């Protein structure tokens, strides 16, 4: 058994209406049989959060949002606060996903404000980092990843940081069918854990879970999850298929 409890999260992105979400969750609950050793989190769009939370209420499955804003309330048209997410029984929130960074201009500083606000509201942030193909091929991508992690978690106390989850998602592996090899992923996960060790000390860093994301499928999940520093998966496309997602959860268990 792994030292850290595996955590598999499904990032539905901008997919599924309310009725489609209901069908997907019902299918999933039939497929997910043994959850005793694994944390499972579903991250539907905002519009389905309350419904999904209601459907999984009597199960160990937890619900997460895909983003949030850092202010508690106010004149911020279109935004959703941590309090609102807690109100619909969310326990997690994905922050700084590469799609938010790429299409909506999110920076490390902004992710940091959101992470602090999430933790203050007892929401567990899933903080995403990842390099683009250009960065991997032409730049000091390891330095870029270290900076993303440091700046996104800067100023967060050691006690709070243990509640956070880190997700390594190489941008070139997202939705492309081209996953990082287990060795490539492990190399970066070890680098991220070493960075966490510098930031928080070895004891805390050993407790923080680091998920891999990017074309995780039933066929590659077991090998990725067998790596010593890979503590779970953040699954996009395959999380929209009940059988495929359940098979990935099984690979972690
Ligand atoms: P895919 O699994 O579709 O590659 O998406 C990964 C991802 O971005 C999860 O957050």
């Amino acid at each position: 058994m792994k030292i850290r409890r595996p955590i598999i999260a499904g990032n539905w992105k901008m997919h599924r209406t309310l009725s489609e979400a209901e069908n997907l969750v019902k299918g999933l609950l039939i497929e997910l049989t043994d959850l005793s050793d694994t944390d499972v989190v579903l991250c539907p769009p905002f519009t389905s959060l309350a419904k999904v939370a209601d459907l999984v209420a009597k199960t160990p499955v937890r619900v997460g949002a895909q983003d949030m804003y850092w202010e508690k309330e106010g004149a911020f048209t279109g935004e959703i606060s941590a309090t609102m997410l807690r109100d619909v029984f969310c326990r997690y929130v994905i922050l700084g996903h590469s799609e938010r960074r790429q299409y909506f201009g999110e920076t490390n500083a902004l992710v940091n404000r959101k992470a602090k606000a999430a933790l203050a509201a007892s929401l567990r942030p899933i903080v995403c980092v990842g390099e683009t193909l250009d960065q991997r091929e032409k730049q000091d991508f390891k330095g870029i990843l270290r900076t993303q992690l440091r700046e996104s978690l800067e100023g967060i106390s050691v006690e709070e940081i243990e509640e956070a989850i880190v997700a390594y998602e190489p941008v070139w592996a997202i939705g492309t069918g081209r996953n990082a090899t287990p060795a490539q992923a492990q190399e970066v996960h070890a680098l991220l854990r070493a960075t966490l060790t510098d930031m928080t000390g070895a004891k805390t860093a050993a407790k923080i879970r680091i998920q891999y994301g990017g074309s995780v499928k039933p066929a590659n999940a077991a090998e990725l999850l067998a790596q010593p520093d890979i503590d779970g998966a953040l699954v996009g496309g395959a999380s929209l298929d009940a059988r495929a997602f359940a098979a990935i959860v099984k690979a972690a268990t």
Side-chain angles (χ1 to χ4, degrees):
M1 189 141 77
K2 288 219 161 198
I3 351 167
R4 291 169 290 272
R5 189 177 161 86
I7 176 163
I8 308 294
N11 175 9
W12 295 10
K13 307 193 179 182
M14 198 172 74
H15 293 287
R16 301 297 182 259
T17 61
L18 197 55
S19 61
E20 289 165 351
E22 185 167 353
N23 285 339
L24 178 53
V25 174
K26 285 183 175 162
L28 257 176
L29 292 177
I30 294 169
E31 298 284 336
L32 290 172
T33 43
D34 180 14
L35 295 176
S36 49
D37 293 326
T38 309
D39 289 338
V40 174
V41 184
L42 305 180
C43 305
F46 290 129
T47 47
S48 300
L49 282 173
K51 183 74 194 175
V52 172
D54 189 43
L55 289 166
V56 302
K58 293 195 171 68
T59 78
V61 176
R62 296 285 177 258
V63 175
Q66 297 174 19
D67 185 28
M68 55 165 263
Y69 193 57
W70 59 77
E71 293 287 352
K72 286 198 173 73
E73 61 177 0
F76 302 104
T77 302
E79 294 298 324
I80 304 268
S81 72
T83 314
M84 290 167 180
L85 295 179
R86 290 285 307 184
D87 190 43
V88 292
F89 304 102
C90 266
R91 302 285 191 90
Y92 295 81
V93 60
I94 299 171
L95 295 178
H97 190 279
S98 65
E99 286 147 19
R100 304 278 337 151
R101 293 176 186 264
Q102 200 176 341
Y103 306 132
F104 305 99
E106 293 206 359
T107 59
N108 297 333
L110 203 139
V111 174
N112 184 244
R113 291 185 81 163
K114 291 184 176 189
K116 286 176 177 161
L119 287 162
S122 302
L123 272 176
R124 293 176 154 219
I126 299 178
V127 175
C128 303
V129 297
E131 81 285 5
T132 63
L133 189 58
D134 190 69
Q135 287 169 335
R136 178 170 273 261
E137 287 176 347
K138 302 197 190 121
Q139 299 175 45
D140 171 22
F141 78 94
K142 291 182 181 172
I144 291 170
L145 288 167
R146 270 196 296 263
T147 304
Q148 281 183 5
L149 188 62
R150 271 186 187 282
E151 292 185 356
S152 300
L153 296 178
E154 195 176 290
I156 296 174
S157 71
V158 168
E159 296 76 51
E160 280 193 317
I161 239 170
E162 283 180 16
E163 299 298 316
I165 289 115
V166 173
Y168 168 55
E169 297 206 311
V171 179
W172 46 272
I174 297 177
T176 58
R178 177 180 167 190
N179 64 289
T181 63
Q184 277 175 324
Q186 167 57 29
E187 184 192 18
V188 173
H189 280 236
L191 171 92
L192 295 175
R193 198 171 310 283
T195 308
L196 290 169
T197 302
D198 290 346
M199 293 171 69
T200 67
K203 208 166 141 219
T204 301
K207 289 187 195 158
I208 300 173
R209 293 177 293 180
I210 309 178
Q211 295 177 310
Y212 170 78
S215 299
V216 177
K217 308 238 162 345
N220 60 26
E223 213 189 338
L224 285 161
L225 292 164
Q227 302 302 310
D229 287 293
I230 300 185
D231 309 310
L234 184 53
V235 185
S239 72
L240 298 171
D241 180 301
R243 277 214 179 140
F245 189 68
I248 294 168
V249 172
K250 215 169 267 170
T253 313

